[in-house]
Amino acid sequence: MKKLFFVSALSLFSMSAFAQDDAANKLVVDQFRKDKEKSDKDLSDPKSSAKASFWMERAKLYENIALQGSEVDSSAAKTSLEAYKKVVELDKTKKGEPGKSAKEAENVIAGGEGSQLFNAFVKQGAEKYQAKNLAGALEMFTAAQEINKKDTLASLYGGIAAQQLDKKDVAKEQFEKYAANGGKDPSVFYGLAQLYREEKNFDKAIEALNKGLAQSPNNKDLKAEVVNILLASGNESKAISELEALAQADPKNIQNVVNLAILYDNMQRTAADSVKQLSAKMGTGSKSAASLTKNLEAEKSKIEVYDGEVKRIGTLIKKQPKNADLKRQLADVNAKKKETLAAIATMEGEVKTASEAAQSSASSGGEKQLADLKAKQKDASDKAIANYKKALEIDGANYDALYNLGVFYFNEAVQLKGEVDNMNMTEYQQRGKEIEGRVCGKFKKAKPYFEKAIQAKDEAEAKENLTTVNGVLEQFAAKQVACVEE
């Protein structure tokens, strides 16, 4: 997450009117202390405290303390606001309408023309922030917003203080006010998006970034974060679309191109996994039917054996009609034949069910779905390779592009080798050598990318993969397998 920098609010105000030497400043501060002591003492006088004029003087005194002498009272702005509110309460005409002083106080409280109370709150809020009193700073900035509801300064600093206090809901509220009032700082919109992202409110995070882009249309950080959040939310297709636009707008930005390649690479891997799963699922029905049919044929072959035994034993019984052992043998053979016939009937039902299931899988769109997945995988693979190579055209020593291309071809080799590993002897004799040559070619194709990646950045992962590739190629050489590069 990007850090939000707090610029001292003191630098935002012209202090030239208050610039004085230390001696003169001490005189001002000492006078403020005397006036404050007198006002605080008069506060307990029922006659004084009942007059609107007393509260007006007190309000202006504390306002000036906040603006020029915070060392006298670091929360003087709060006392000033309370005093102005007391003026509004006490200064009424006979008709119950606000008097002159009340109207003046209302103007100050509302941040009207000539009002300095907002500045007093922001200044003292900034001082509390600099003194690490974050809670006090937040209180001041929040109060300032009540005086000037359209301001962006207090909401900006209020949001920063709340964020550092880990009051995330308050920070979001403050930053949203900043945005609503026309704030333009991109880092604020970035930070607001991060707050929403942390709670997995991806829609609001994107909304915050789009608000920032409305103010800063060319900000690369905001655009890139839109992509990151789309990915975090699982919206890969939209992320690719956004990143395609970024890459097109700034074709020399290598990070955009690499990121786009990685997205397509991830997409093709996901599609490859789906192809594997669906192929296995569709093959299960066919393999099951084939296996059951083979077992059924083996069971049926037993009947022929039993019939031969019945015929043989029957011939012997004709010659020895009183031989009890032969009669027992004949009974045993007939019993076994009966059991086998029953098993055959059961297995025929299982073969029928398995065959129907395999047919159903094929006719229910499984083949089309598999074809679509393979097409999606190929399209994503082609785009991944194209973007990795485009990145290397921009910077031939880019580690991520080199390493990932090596991994891409390495994985293709492993996947192809799986076909060889699953072959029976007959299949291997027919086409095993040819596929092994292609496997060797894929590993050979991956090798230079790992070598160049190591030259670009000395990383253990690239070294380990290169060691594996070299070992595999040595094994193929020992078997005298010719590598076929495609």
Side-chain angles (χ1 to χ4, degrees):
M1 178 176 173
K2 286 187 176 286
K3 189 175 181 181
L4 294 173
F5 294 98
F6 182 85
V7 182
S8 171
L10 291 174
S11 66
L12 301 173
F13 301 100
S14 174
M15 303 301 291
S16 58
F18 311 122
Q20 305 169 66
D21 59 34
D22 290 342
N25 185 60
K26 185 177 183 303
L27 288 174
V28 171
V29 171
D30 287 345
Q31 187 60 51
F32 279 147
R33 283 200 175 96
K34 291 177 183 177
D35 292 343
K36 176 182 180 300
E37 288 173 8
K38 182 178 183 303
S39 181
D40 290 346
K41 183 178 179 181
D42 290 344
L43 189 63
S44 59
D45 182 353
K47 290 184 179 180
S48 296
S49 60
K51 297 176 182 178
S53 58
F54 164 78
W55 289 102
M56 179 62 83
E57 288 177 6
R58 182 174 175 82
K60 290 181 178 180
L61 168 63
Y62 273 88
E63 183 178 314
N64 287 327
I65 289 173
L67 290 169
Q68 303 175 54
S70 280
E71 56 262 64
V72 175
D73 187 338
S74 63
S75 296
K78 285 173 58 181
T79 304
S80 177
L81 176 60
E82 291 165 1
Y84 277 123
K85 288 180 178 179
K86 196 70 175 176
V87 173
V88 174
E89 177 188 330
L90 294 176
D91 186 29
K92 303 284 186 183
T93 66
K94 292 181 180 180
K95 294 181 178 180
E97 296 174 351
K100 182 179 178 181
S101 294
K103 289 178 181 178
E104 180 183 348
E106 286 175 342
N107 177 68
V108 172
I109 293 171
E113 185 177 354
S115 173
Q116 288 295 308
L117 189 58
F118 169 81
N119 290 342
F121 271 108
V122 172
K123 177 178 175 292
Q124 290 204 304
E127 290 166 349
K128 288 181 183 294
Y129 182 93
Q130 291 167 338
K132 309 298 183 185
N133 181 358
L134 298 177
L138 178 58
E139 182 183 17
M140 288 292 182
F141 293 137
T142 303
Q145 292 168 56
E146 292 303 312
I147 297 169
N148 185 349
K149 292 180 170 58
K150 294 296 181 181
D151 176 74
T152 56
L153 183 66
S155 54
L156 168 61
Y157 295 145
I160 294 170
Q163 193 173 30
Q164 293 190 19
L165 286 166
D166 203 31
K167 293 186 175 183
K168 295 177 181 177
D169 287 341
V170 177
K172 285 185 294 184
E173 180 185 348
Q174 293 288 304
F175 289 147
E176 287 286 11
K177 286 182 179 179
Y178 173 85
N181 288 337
K184 296 183 179 182
D185 189 336
S187 66
V188 177
F189 295 98
Y190 188 101
L192 179 59
Q194 292 300 309
L195 289 169
Y196 283 123
R197 181 178 179 175
E198 286 175 15
E199 59 187 32
K200 300 191 183 304
N201 191 341
F202 300 117
D203 289 342
K204 291 292 288 184
I206 295 291
E207 181 183 318
L209 292 169
N210 285 336
K211 286 178 182 177
L213 286 168
Q215 299 290 349
S216 307
N218 298 317
N219 188 277
K220 295 178 181 179
D221 289 334
L222 294 179
K223 289 180 178 180
E225 190 59 16
V226 169
V227 175
N228 291 335
I229 291 177
L230 286 171
L231 286 174
S233 66
N235 197 340
E236 192 175 63
S237 297
K238 185 70 184 297
I240 286 177
S241 177
E242 293 282 349
L243 202 49
E244 286 275 17
L246 286 178
Q248 187 174 357
D250 189 5
K252 294 299 182 182
N253 186 320
I254 190 169
Q255 197 55 55
N256 287 339
V257 179
V258 171
N259 288 343
L260 189 57
I262 291 171
L263 284 183
Y264 279 122
D265 202 343
N266 290 338
M267 182 180 284
Q268 72 87 15
R269 290 182 195 183
T270 301
D273 288 341
S274 298
V275 166
K276 186 177 180 180
Q277 292 170 9
L278 185 57
S279 297
K281 182 180 178 182
M282 291 178 66
T284 299
S286 300
K287 288 179 181 178
S288 176
S291 177
L292 288 171
T293 300
K294 186 177 179 180
N295 293 338
L296 176 61
E297 294 303 320
E299 201 69 19
K300 283 181 177 180
S301 67
K302 293 180 183 179
I303 299 299
E304 186 177 347
V305 175
Y306 291 145
D307 286 343
E309 278 295 286
V310 167
K311 185 177 180 181
R312 183 184 68 80
I313 295 171
T315 300
L316 291 174
I317 289 176
K318 285 179 181 179
K319 293 178 181 180
Q320 306 174 49
K322 294 184 179 181
N323 190 320
D325 187 52
L326 288 173
K327 291 180 179 179
R328 180 189 59 77
Q329 289 180 33
L330 182 60
D332 286 346
V333 171
N334 282 325
K336 288 179 180 179
K337 179 181 178 180
K338 185 177 180 181
E339 289 175 0
T340 299
L341 287 170
I344 288 171
T346 300
M347 292 173 74
E348 285 177 337
E350 291 173 346
V351 168
K352 182 180 178 182
T353 301
S355 298
E356 288 174 350
Q359 263 187 335
S360 174
S361 175
S363 62
S364 64
E367 290 180 356
K368 183 181 183 306
Q369 186 181 357
L370 184 61
D372 289 345
L373 280 171
K374 286 181 177 179
K376 181 179 180 182
Q377 181 190 0
K378 184 180 185 309
D379 180 65
S381 295
D382 292 345
K383 288 177 178 175
I385 293 172
N387 280 285
Y388 281 136
K389 290 184 175 179
K390 189 185 294 183
L392 292 176
E393 288 174 7
I394 300 171
D395 178 9
N398 183 272
Y399 175 83
D400 290 334
L402 289 166
Y403 176 77
N404 288 337
L405 255 181
V407 170
F408 185 93
Y409 293 124
F410 183 97
N411 287 342
E412 279 196 333
V414 171
Q415 186 176 357
L416 195 57
K417 187 177 183 299
E419 291 185 27
V420 179
D421 294 340
N422 291 327
M423 288 179 178
N424 56 38
M425 186 56 69
T426 302
E427 290 172 329
Y428 182 79
Q429 289 173 346
Q430 290 175 346
R431 56 194 186 93
K433 288 287 186 181
E434 181 266 328
I435 294 181
E436 278 190 333
R438 292 169 58 203
V439 172
C440 180
K442 296 285 187 185
F443 279 119
K444 189 175 180 180
K445 200 170 184 178
K447 181 177 177 178
Y449 290 106
F450 288 132
E451 290 173 336
K452 291 177 182 177
I454 293 168
Q455 292 172 9
K457 190 187 293 187
D458 190 17
E459 293 285 347
E461 55 186 3
K463 288 181 176 179
E464 291 171 4
N465 285 343
L466 180 59
T467 300
T468 302
V469 168
N470 286 333
V472 171
L473 291 176
E474 287 174 6
Q475 292 175 20
F476 279 124
K479 291 172 63 177
Q480 295 185 334
V481 174
C483 296
V484 179
E485 292 191 48
E486 299 171 309

